[in-house]
Amino acid sequence: MFSVKIYDISNSDIAWCPGCGNFGILNELKTAFSELELSPNQVVIVSGIGQAAKMPQYVNVNMFNGLHGRTLPVATAIKLVNPSLIVIAESGDGCTYGEGGNHFIHTIRKNPNIVNIVHDNMIYGLTKGQASPTTPKGVKTTLQFDGVFVDPFNPIAVAVALNASFVARTFMGYTDLTIELIKKAIKHRGYSLIDILQPCVTFNKYNTYQWYKENTYILPEDYDPTDRKTAFEIAMDTEKLALGLIYLNESKEVYEDFQPRIELF
Amino acid sequence: MKDKKIFSIVLSGAAGQGIQTVENLFTQIAKESGYNVYATKEYMSRVRGGNNSTEILISSKPVRSFRKKIDLLVVLNNNAIERLRDRISDNTIIIGEKNFVSKEKNSIPISLLEISNSLGSSIYANAVAVGILSGIINAEKTVIDEVIYEYFKEKGEEVIDNNLKAIIKGYEIGKQLNINFQIEKNGYVKKHMLLNGSQAVAKGAISGGCNFISSYPMSPATAVFTELAKASKKYNIIVDQAEDEIAAANMAIGAWYAGARAIVSTSGGGFALMEEAISLSGMIETPIVVHLGQRPGPATGLPTRTEQGDLDLVLYAGHGTFPRIIFAPASLEEAYYLSAKAFNFADKFQVPVFVLTDQYLLDSFYNVEYLPQIQVERYIIKTTKDYKRYEITESGISPRGIPGYGEGVVRVDSDEHDEFGHITENPKVRVDMVNKRMRKLNEILKEVIQPVLFGDENYEYLFISWGSTSQILKEAIEELDIEKVAMIHFPQVYPLPKETENYLSKAKKVVFVEQNVNGQFANLIRREFGIDTSNRILKYDGFPFSVENLKEKIKEAL
Ligand SMILES: Cc1ncc(C[n+]2csc(CCOP(=O)(O)OP(=O)(O)O)c2C)c(N)n1
Ligand SMILES: [Mg+2]
């Protein structure tokens, strides 16, 4: 196991609020890297814009901090060009499911071997508290003063419906589960979605640490993620959110396998 | 020499009638028979019906521009003649079904359909047409055999035989028409290759080391995408049909970041969606090559027509300020060269590089003598542990590493950043970084592709153009051959060399010739050099200038 310290960035002034869920995810990510013994120069984190998207600023690996919503096309291209890199597309719920919604759909279809980590705090944090696609109906925000009146986006159901190859959800407060899922996703060949539930202590007063604990459950050990029908049923349940590897489809072909290899150096 | 011998054939019919096949086969046969060939087409934005036309010029000396005149018009449907009325003269011979042509003065009724039916099926009408044209130009029969065999070889012997029979039938008819055709053959033309603008751009890209294309189909830029897809296996080119142009552009930048040489091919509307990515390329200094095939806007505009209306778009594309390079080829040879060069410049200067073409150039064909191999220049370095992606340098260019090559990590950031790529709001670092990025403009100017002067070097009248219009202007000036008249073509329209000013100040009168409504290049020259650029010949009806038309305009301007 590598020391997590090799992924530290010296004297970085972290831009997250005290108590932010992002700190937990930062630790979980570095721990997963160290347990998998990944060299910093073999990993690329592609992020968009938002508080979540600042993640690679604080991790000493290759970084592509691009545009709001555009993580997945960039990550796909990097993987196509250099399949030996471990490519992680990491951003917020707004960035991935809102601005980048079209890429979310089509990247799942293409199935490149990348990991997509979504920090799902059910709010737009960086822009100070507007609704995101996953904000629950009725929640009042700094823009939706009477509460959100459209149904939230269900990324897990959409991913299962698109027959994504790896679909997981976790809560960042459950450290072991989150580390385990990140490691599994990195080792999995194909597109892996990890929707990480996360509180926003400043702008989301509804989906708190407590709320996540009360409204989620961890899938049992003997749960079979390869059964798509069951996975879809679980994904459709928005009353109590299932955590763990919800759907796994190992027979899906990987995008870069259809493309020529190009000479880089 | 000024009066080149040109025989102009126009084929006109509905979409779906197979004009394209006639054009492909006949131009090949003409070239292989030793004629200089030029062809360009105009078509409606539909899959069936309407009226489209193709002009094929057969000449003894190379001709590379659209002409208005028609010597021989072959009509395949009934509204063809009316659409071309202003191009038909007393000398134009018109061939077609009796009921299409009977009212015309110089017409020869021929029923392609009847002839085809007499051979057993209506499907040979196009082959009969190819035959008639081949007969008129006295094509070599062995050449016809070879071309037809090549074209239909995958379809089997029967198809080849039947088509050949139809062509020979047409050939005999064509010979007996006794049409006055007096163009000399030149054996050397046979060795040339016949290609169109899209192929020239694609071949150039390949020659420049392109190994990645992500795009979203849009006329007239799709053919470049298709050509690179065809070449994917042979040249190891990664091809992605992206879900939209935003994805396409971000992928191309991601690909460059990882070490590839990537291009997107699009038109104005698609490019508008890419603008934020262009700005990203400027900020993170990760290059992108954009081929933009222009068509008339705004919005969907005239999807299959031509214009040079997107210079302003690429000049100002993307928010914020950062250097860029814009090429605009006049000819197929230049389209090839600049498309290759775009990759070397992109790699070297780490900026967005544009190749601006248009429908007219992309759809124009002719025989090209030779395309030089371009040396692929790569500027990627192996990183060390303490690698700084945005190291401040005198030239503004920071050595570019790629992830996984060397011990360092490569960190690019769309936020303002320090030398390591780390996000910052420090005002001093901000200013240093802006200045570093802008310094690259001076480096680009050191290698600028110089404008080309043509005509009388002691000119008083100077005509200025860029892109495909330059080639038409050149032929007009060449044929007018008037003293004190010259033109300059700008293959690189941005940034502009200092020398531009000298060229312009020598002239008594400067006239800009462009295919857009506002004189976008003239405006750019005024912006850059503060020179009066108010004399402008502009066209924006969706069709290219013709040589004849420009000759008139030039005479009026003197
Ligand atoms: C094209 C574009 N539109 C809007 C923005 C402004 N913007 C930045 S982050 C953001 C939303 C962030 O929400 P999310 O992705 O959920 O991240 P969080 O801050 O909650 O972690 C928005 C709207 C932008 N940077 N770019
Ligand atoms: Mg969010």
Side-chain angles (χ1 to χ4, degrees):
Chain A
M1 188 169 127
F2 286 2
S3 157
V4 288
K5 286 215 161 51
I6 66 168
Y7 309 107
D8 287 351
I9 290 275
S10 56
N11 66 33
S12 61
D13 164 25
I14 294 192
W16 297 324
C17 310
C20 177
N22 283 331
F23 288 103
I25 302 176
L26 175 61
N27 276 331
E28 287 153 356
L29 187 71
K30 286 183 183 175
T31 309
F33 287 174
S34 70
E35 289 181 9
L36 291 175
E37 306 194 335
L38 304 180
S39 315
N41 68 348
Q42 283 307 313
V43 181
V44 186
I45 300 179
V46 179
S47 73
I49 298 297
Q51 284 295 76
K54 288 186 179 144
M55 179 63 91
Q57 301 280 354
Y58 315 127
V59 187
N60 180 39
V61 296
N62 294 291
M63 168 176 88
F64 188 114
N65 191 173
L67 296 171
H68 186 51
R70 313 305 166 200
T71 52
L72 290 171
V74 172
T76 302
I78 293 169
K79 190 69 188 182
L80 289 180
V81 171
N82 188 349
S84 70
L85 295 169
I86 288 161
V87 181
I88 296 171
E90 183 161 8
S91 217
D93 45 328
C95 193
T96 312
Y97 305 140
E99 190 88 39
N102 199 26
H103 312 313
F104 179 62
I105 294 172
H106 294 282
T107 307
I108 291 175
R109 288 182 51 231
K110 288 176 186 175
N111 198 37
N113 181 14
I114 62 174
V115 179
N116 190 7
I117 298 178
V118 184
H119 299 210
D120 192 352
N121 56 8
M122 305 187 176
I123 206 79
Y124 281 11
L126 182 60
T127 49
K128 302 197 178 352
Q130 304 82 6
S132 92
T134 52
T135 307
K137 200 168 182 173
V139 169
K140 291 185 178 160
T141 76
T142 56
L143 190 76
Q144 286 74 17
F145 302 109
D146 299 325
V148 172
F149 44 75
V150 294
D151 282 333
F153 180 71
N154 183 336
I156 304 296
V158 169
V160 177
L162 288 168
N163 207 7
S165 72
F166 182 111
V167 184
R169 179 164 53 204
T170 178
F171 165 48
M172 51 65 58
Y174 298 152
T175 308
D176 291 347
L177 176 66
T178 305
I179 293 170
E180 206 42 51
L181 285 171
I182 295 173
K183 284 165 60 182
K184 264 195 188 146
I186 290 174
K187 285 193 269 181
H188 172 75
R189 227 174 97 74
Y191 169 89
S192 323
L193 171 67
I194 312 178
D195 185 73
I196 305 186
L197 302 174
Q198 166 210 14
C200 171
V201 292
T202 308
F203 292 112
N204 188 339
K205 304 291 187 201
Y206 181 75
N207 305 101
T208 57
Y209 279 93
Q210 198 54 37
W211 187 92
Y212 285 120
K213 284 195 176 142
E214 284 165 7
N215 290 279
T216 60
Y217 70 99
I218 296 175
L219 287 166
E221 289 273 310
D222 61 353
Y223 172 74
D224 174 14
T226 61
D227 177 6
R228 191 162 170 216
K229 273 204 178 130
T230 313
F232 199 67
E233 251 168 55
I234 287 172
M236 297 287 281
D237 181 4
T238 51
E239 290 296 306
K240 204 123 176 101
L241 304 173
L243 305 180
L245 177 53
I246 295 169
Y247 181 56
L248 179 67
N249 168 12
E250 284 183 306
S251 64
K252 201 163 168 138
E253 287 162 305
V254 171
Y255 196 45
E256 54 269 31
D257 289 351
F258 295 96
Q259 296 278 2
R261 289 280 169 274
I262 62 183
E263 212 177 290
L264 292 175
F265 29 79
Chain B
M1 144 80 214
K2 306 303 163 208
D3 212 25
K4 286 182 208 134
K5 277 205 189 134
I6 301 168
F7 190 78
S8 160
I9 301 169
V10 171
L11 308 168
S12 183
Q17 273 191 309
I19 300 186
Q20 187 73 52
T21 315
V22 180
E23 176 190 344
N24 286 345
L25 290 172
F26 177 64
T27 49
Q28 200 70 33
I29 290 169
K31 190 218 90 174
E32 293 296 326
S33 296
Y35 295 113
N36 279 289
V37 191
Y38 166 89
T40 191
K41 60 170 168 273
E42 56 88 16
Y43 45 99
M44 291 181 169
S45 180
R46 53 197 290 174
V47 178
R48 288 279 183 276
N51 180 260
N52 301 337
S53 72
T54 288
E55 170 174 280
I56 301 169
L57 304 176
I58 311 283
S59 57
S60 44
K61 299 233 164 64
V63 169
R64 273 88 187 83
S65 303
F66 175 65
R67 309 273 157 159
K68 192 175 165 201
K69 78 153 182 173
I70 303 177
D71 294 314
L72 177 68
L73 173 62
V74 181
V75 296
L76 301 175
N77 74 349
N78 56 3
N79 58 354
I81 294 181
E82 280 328 303
R83 267 192 83 235
L84 297 167
R85 183 58 75 193
D86 69 325
R87 294 176 59 191
I88 296 173
S89 74
D90 288 348
N91 301 323
T92 306
I93 298 166
I94 306 176
I95 296 181
E97 297 286 337
K98 199 170 182 176
N99 57 333
F100 300 160
V101 305
S102 59
K103 289 198 214 90
E104 303 301 317
K105 207 173 128 208
N106 245 336
S107 63
I108 308 176
I110 294 180
S111 177
L112 297 175
L113 213 58
E114 262 172 42
I115 303 167
S116 177
N117 282 334
S118 76
L119 295 163
S121 161
S122 62
I123 63 169
Y124 304 115
N126 290 325
V128 175
V130 171
I132 293 176
L133 296 174
S134 303
I136 292 172
I137 67 164
N138 196 19
E140 290 166 25
K141 281 203 173 150
T142 51
V143 161
I144 297 179
D145 282 350
E146 280 162 25
V147 170
I148 298 306
Y149 177 78
E150 240 347 272
Y151 195 87
F152 290 110
K153 71 178 174 208
E154 254 123 62
K155 304 218 160 138
E157 230 162 81
E158 202 184 324
V159 175
I160 296 175
D161 283 351
N162 290 341
N163 276 287
L164 268 178
K165 255 186 232 151
I167 290 180
I168 295 307
K169 182 101 188 170
Y171 190 89
E172 299 308 330
I173 297 170
K175 281 216 130 153
Q176 282 157 24
L177 294 177
N178 281 325
I179 286 173
N180 183 18
F181 175 85
Q182 298 180 357
I183 307 288
E184 291 148 40
K185 291 181 183 171
N186 298 292
Y188 63 82
V189 173
K190 296 186 185 194
K191 295 201 200 83
H192 293 185
M193 54 195 133
L194 199 55
L195 74 162
N196 66 18
S198 299
Q199 291 165 326
V201 171
K203 279 180 190 292
I206 293 168
S207 186
C210 173
N211 50 23
F212 191 106
I213 180 164
S214 46
S215 290
Y216 187 91
M218 186 168 187
S219 293
T222 311
V224 169
F225 191 16
T226 315
E227 289 295 330
L228 286 170
K230 271 189 220 160
S232 163
K233 289 209 175 70
K234 183 163 175 201
Y235 295 99
N236 287 336
I237 301 168
I238 293 171
V239 178
D240 180 90
Q241 181 180 330
E243 55 271 27
D244 53 38
E245 285 86 350
I246 299 174
N250 279 280
M251 286 188 85
I253 295 169
W256 273 97
Y257 166 78
R261 289 161 84 92
I263 189 171
V264 293
S265 183
T266 187
S267 190
F271 180 69
L273 291 174
M274 297 181 178
E275 285 206 47
E276 194 191 18
I278 296 305
S279 184
L280 175 69
S281 163
M283 184 54 146
I284 66 177
E285 304 190 55
T286 301
I288 179 170
V289 174
V290 178
H291 166 248
L292 196 163
Q294 298 166 100
R295 70 190 217 189
T300 310
L302 296 167
T304 59
R305 305 285 170 208
T306 199
E307 194 162 286
Q308 297 180 294
D310 293 336
L311 174 57
D312 281 347
L313 177 68
V314 297
L315 193 57
Y316 299 103
H319 51 294
T321 313
F322 52 93
R324 67 193 71 203
I325 299 168
I326 308 171
F327 294 149
S331 62
L332 303 191
E333 290 88 341
E334 212 172 65
Y336 168 84
Y337 174 73
L338 294 176
S339 300
K341 199 80 185 163
F343 287 86
N344 287 345
F345 273 24
D347 202 336
K348 179 160 192 183
F349 302 113
Q350 306 172 19
V351 296
V353 182
F354 298 92
V355 180
L356 259 187
T357 66
D358 51 50
Q359 179 269 329
Y360 166 70
L361 182 74
L362 294 171
D363 282 332
S364 293
F365 267 92
Y366 57 78
N367 51 299
V368 169
E369 187 179 347
Y370 137 96
L371 299 171
Q373 191 56 45
I374 310 288
Q375 188 64 41
V376 173
E377 294 164 18
R378 298 205 71 193
Y379 297 89
I380 288 167
I381 58 134
K382 193 169 181 173
T383 59
T384 51
K385 204 128 197 91
D386 50 355
Y387 174 66
K388 290 193 263 186
R389 174 64 189 88
Y390 300 109
E391 188 186 335
I392 301 274
T393 61
E394 206 177 312
S395 66
I397 300 170
S398 317
R400 189 166 72 92
I402 57 173
Y405 183 47
E407 279 182 77
V409 288
V410 180
R411 296 170 63 83
V412 300
D413 191 356
S414 81
D415 290 281
E416 190 56 273
H417 41 255
D418 63 17
E419 288 185 288
F420 289 97
H422 194 74
I423 185 169
T424 182
E425 294 192 27
N426 180 319
K428 182 182 176 308
V429 177
R430 158 71 179 174
V431 171
D432 287 348
M433 280 296 160
V434 172
N435 292 343
K436 168 189 125 61
R437 288 190 289 268
M438 294 309 286
R439 277 201 298 278
K440 294 194 291 186
L441 210 46
N442 304 326
E443 296 302 303
I444 296 166
L445 278 172
K446 287 182 193 161
E447 293 185 38
V448 65
I449 298 183
Q450 290 289 345
V452 195
L453 183 78
F454 177 81
D456 189 344
E457 280 180 19
N458 300 311
Y459 54 84
E460 286 179 5
Y461 296 93
L462 185 62
F463 291 81
I464 296 183
S465 197
W466 59 284
S468 68
T469 302
S470 288
Q471 182 65 31
I472 309 172
L473 179 65
K474 183 178 168 199
E475 289 190 19
I477 286 185
E478 181 184 26
E479 284 169 32
L480 283 173
D481 192 25
I482 303 175
E483 262 180 44
K484 306 282 178 203
V485 173
M487 70 164 287
I488 314 183
H489 158 59
F490 283 82
Q492 179 170 326
V493 288
Y494 186 83
L496 288 164
K498 270 252 151 290
E499 291 82 351
T500 306
E501 214 172 339
N502 307 339
Y503 278 118
L504 271 73
S505 59
K506 267 178 64 188
K508 257 196 355 212
K509 185 174 181 184
V510 176
V511 183
F512 286 80
V513 186
E514 302 185 47
Q515 261 228 288
N516 57 52
V517 68
N518 54 342
Q520 298 183 359
F521 189 58
N523 289 344
L524 173 60
I525 297 254
R526 189 179 54 200
R527 183 191 98 175
E528 297 282 295
F529 302 103
I531 291 171
D532 172 30
T533 63
S534 54
N535 296 313
R536 300 169 184 195
I537 298 172
L538 305 173
K539 189 173 193 289
Y540 43 89
D541 59 359
F543 292 86
F545 282 104
S546 67
V547 174
E548 293 95 327
N549 179 218
L550 264 189
K551 284 203 261 192
E552 291 306 314
K553 298 272 182 199
I554 292 167
K555 282 192 263 179
E556 283 167 26
L558 300 179

